[in-house]
């Protein structure tokens, strides 16, 4: 009498042990941690608006299409984690605007890269909003090495443990 529940366990191999150990303890990753902070659609759209200079709640709501309760929650979370600060600009009635902190401003290249990727791979045609660099050419974001200025290519990168 053989059933699926009484069948013997398959032999354990190195690859199955590696797969099960990965499932039990996922890789520590800065990307995953960053996504915990800003990886939700409405959070990224709030950051986009702040990068574009939009600072007031009603304008952010109108430009993102976010429901007000969700927008309020995302702004609070971004404030709690230090991506934005809320500044009062009017006393009666009290009104506030949102401003990117240094951590928030450091997300500008991420927003520009997402826009470029969306223009290149998602939209049928790039949207009319095109950035021009101070050199006079259309701005195309690119990741380069801070030390030598060379573009990032898969063959140019080697993973090294911090010592």
């Amino acid at each position: 009498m053989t059933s699926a529940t009484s069948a013997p366990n398959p032999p354990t191999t190195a690859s199955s042990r590696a797969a099960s150990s990965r499932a039990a303890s996922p890789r520590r990753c800065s990307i995953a941690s960053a996504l915990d902070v800003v990886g939700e659609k409405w959070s990224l759209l709030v950051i986009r608006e702040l990068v574009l200079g939009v600072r007031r709640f009603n304008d952010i709501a109108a430009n993102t299409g976010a429901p007000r309760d969700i927008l309020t929650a995302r702004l609070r979370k971004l404030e709690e984690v230090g991506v934005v600060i809320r500044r009062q600009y009017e006393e009666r009635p009290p009104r506030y605007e949102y401003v990117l902190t240094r951590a928030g401003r450091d997300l500008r290249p991420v927003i520009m890269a997402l826009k470029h990727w969306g223009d290149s791979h998602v939209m049928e045609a790039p949207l009319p909003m095109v950035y021009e660099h101070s050199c006079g050419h259309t701005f195309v974001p690119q990741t380069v090495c801070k030390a030598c200025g060379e573009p990032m290519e898969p063959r140019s990168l080697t993973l090294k443990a911090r010592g």
Side-chain angles (χ1 to χ4, degrees):
M1 192 161 137
T2 310
S3 72
T5 56
S6 63
N9 289 331
T12 303
T13 64
S15 63
S16 66
R17 279 192 304 272
S20 66
S21 68
R22 271 185 257 139
S25 58
R27 178 192 313 259
R28 278 191 54 202
C29 176
S30 299
I31 296 169
S33 296
L35 289 173
D36 286 342
V37 175
V38 296
E40 193 274 329
K41 172 185 175 179
W42 299 118
S43 296
L44 284 171
L45 292 178
V46 164
I47 294 164
R48 175 199 68 192
E49 290 304 307
L50 295 172
V51 165
L52 293 173
V54 178
R55 292 190 167 86
R56 297 189 178 168
F57 184 91
N58 287 338
D59 296 330
I60 295 169
N63 292 344
T64 62
R68 295 177 78 77
D69 58 332
I70 291 175
L71 180 57
T72 298
R74 294 312 177 268
L75 282 164
R76 281 189 185 139
K77 180 180 178 186
L78 291 170
E79 187 176 10
E80 286 172 14
V81 298
V83 173
V84 303
I85 57 171
R86 186 172 69 137
R87 271 196 315 222
Q88 188 170 355
Y89 67 88
E90 192 172 300
E91 288 188 32
R92 292 190 182 193
R95 297 201 187 275
Y96 299 89
E97 65 181 4
Y98 297 88
V99 180
L100 292 169
T101 63
R102 179 175 178 236
R105 290 188 305 273
D106 283 350
L107 288 166
R108 286 178 179 155
V110 175
I111 295 297
M112 297 303 287
L114 280 171
K115 179 196 179 311
H116 178 71
W117 186 86
D119 285 348
S120 300
H121 301 287
V122 179
M123 305 301 288
E124 290 181 21
L127 296 178
M129 185 173 36
V130 175
Y131 291 95
E132 183 178 286
H133 192 265
S134 58
C135 69
H137 289 89
T138 299
F139 177 74
V140 176
Q142 182 179 19
T143 302
V144 299
C145 176
K146 183 178 179 180
C148 70
E150 289 294 316
M152 180 193 77
E153 298 292 338
R155 290 177 274 137
S156 66
L157 300 175
T158 304
L159 184 62
K160 293 176 74 173
R162 289 188 182 187

